[in-house]
DNA sequence: GTTCTTACATACATTCACGTATGTATATAA
DNA sequence: TTATATACATACGTGAATGTATGTAAGAAC
């Protein structure tokens, strides 16, 4: 049917395949997802898919890498800026919860990375990357919270861990039971509760 | 080889299959797990498996149902008792974090239930059960925290949600990156941080 | 001891998804 | 205008996992 088109169309096909792959993998998991489903969702055949990507694993890893950056960057950017540390962390959590509910790409790439690809050793590269990302994330938060007025007994490392687990916990709880609550609506009160448990009540961060 | 044995041996075979199935499914996910792997782990053939269970889905659901009760009961029992509410919730979180790291069955059944079985509609029964469990859990915690001295602005529902997300977040973060921290060792400080963010500082719960 | 049933093991059929090989039409370069 | 490379579609081979059908030895009932 649709024969050779321009190079821009090829890029669009590739992009559509990445978006479709992310949705398929996030919905069904890596093992249960089928490349026929990905191709159908993208409106092409499996031949097109194998033209752009060598195999299932490369498709999955490429989708995570390329789409994660653009979806997550504006959220993580909240950790930088001139505001006081506690304020930045709060803003980050609120942005995280909001993106989780409102941004389909953000939600899908997060669900896929959290659900993991156990049973698929060919994705080990992506998983070690995730490990590194997690540790860099904790380091960044530790530095940030080290400059914040934490209440006594709370180390910056523990505070960073609490922030990470709060974000992950909200995400997986809502992904598992979407009817339980609304991350976007309760984002502020949840973030406040987390930070209130960590920071000194009189500290302005 | 091993021919007909006593009825007790049959029960032991069934039990071994359930334990093996839980480990396989938790490690590889429902879709990627193979029944040959389950049988091999249990030390029997696939014939034995199909003698005790009708298909893959029933095996998985039975494993979750039967093993979840005995592994999780002692943890959830911490929510009951004569102690003040905040103390009970703290004890529950500590017991949860400890069981997560120390009790293999607890960890596996939790990992399997969290990772979910998306892409496997035949497990819908188990997932609706999970939804019901989650809502009952939130209801129980809401009642419990409704009788606790919460700080102003924190509703019992939000507090219950914070406890749930803290437990889930710690679990998935550690399952994804086991080297990041030790739930059992940091259990107390994490639980204290959560409750400190929710309860009035002067309240003894 | 015969028979029946249980508790498996073994062998087979079928499906299904992956990866490959090949065909085809179009843009581009010469 | 011809040749070549690109961007797919189509058709095929293959393996792995599921489920089924059948075989078989051992306890239980009589």
């Amino acid at each position: 049917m649709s024969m050779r088109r321009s190079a821009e169309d090829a890029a669009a096909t590739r992009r559509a395949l990445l978006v479709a792959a992310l949705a398929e993998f996030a919905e069904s998991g890596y093992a249960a997802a089928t490349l026929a489903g990905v191709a159908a969702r993208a409106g092409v055949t499996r031949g097109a898919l194998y033209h752009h990507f060598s195999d299932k694993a490369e498709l999955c890893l490429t989708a995570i890498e390329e789409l994660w950056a653009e979806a997550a960057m504006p959220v993580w950017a909240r950790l930088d800026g001139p505001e006081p540390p506690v304020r930045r962390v709060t803003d980050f959590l609120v942005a995280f919860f909001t993106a989780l509910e409102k941004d389909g790409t953000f939600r899908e790439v997060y669900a896929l990375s959290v659900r993991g690809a156990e049973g698929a050793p060919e994705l080990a590269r992506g998983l070690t990357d995730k490990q590194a990302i997690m540790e860099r994330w904790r380091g960044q938060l530790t530095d940030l919270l080290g400059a914040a007025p934490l209440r006594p007994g709370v180390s910056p490392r523990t505070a960073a861990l609490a922030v990470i687990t709060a974000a992950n916990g909200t995400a997986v709880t809502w992904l598992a039971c979407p009817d339980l609550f609304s991350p976007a609506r309760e984002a502020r009160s949840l973030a406040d509760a987390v930070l209130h448990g960590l920071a000194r009540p009189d500290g302005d961060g």
Side-chain angles (χ1 to χ4, degrees), chain A residues 10-193:
Chain A
T13 297
R14 192 188 120 97
R15 168 80 185 188
L17 281 167
L18 288 177
V19 172
L22 180 64
E24 273 287 295
F25 287 134
E27 180 176 324
S28 306
Y30 179 77
T34 159
L35 297 184
V38 173
R41 205 184 276 247
V44 294
T45 66
R46 290 175 52 248
L49 194 157
Y50 277 100
H51 175 72
H52 285 282
F53 306 97
S54 65
D55 56 6
K56 191 180 185 180
E58 193 201 291
L59 172 65
C60 183
L61 287 173
T62 306
I64 292 178
E65 287 174 7
E66 295 196 8
L67 299 180
W68 171 252
E70 59 188 76
M73 198 163 40
V75 173
W76 259 259
R78 298 304 189 104
L79 288 178
D80 304 319
E83 297 84 5
V86 170
R87 174 65 188 275
R88 279 191 270 167
V89 174
T90 305
D91 286 350
F92 162 78
L93 281 177
V94 171
F96 183 95
F97 297 153
T98 305
L100 186 69
E101 187 167 345
K102 305 292 184 186
D103 183 344
T105 300
F106 186 91
R107 171 173 56 253
E108 286 165 356
V109 75
Y110 183 88
L112 181 55
S113 74
V114 147
R115 188 171 327 158
E118 289 84 354
E122 63 269 31
L123 295 186
R125 189 182 104 220
L127 291 185
T128 53
D129 277 6
K130 186 171 72 171
Q131 182 94 17
I133 287 172
M134 274 282 196
E135 273 164 14
R136 193 152 46 86
W137 186 12
R138 175 164 185 169
Q140 186 176 2
L141 281 168
T142 301
D143 292 345
L144 197 58
L145 291 167
L150 299 178
R151 65 183 180 86
V154 176
S155 72
R157 267 188 78 82
T158 297
L161 189 60
V163 172
I164 293 172
T165 58
N168 282 337
T170 304
V172 298
T173 304
W174 182 67
L175 286 172
C177 298
D179 297 332
L180 206 60
F181 67 105
S182 161
R185 282 183 41 202
E186 308 195 29
R188 179 65 57 181
S189 62
L190 282 173
D192 283 345

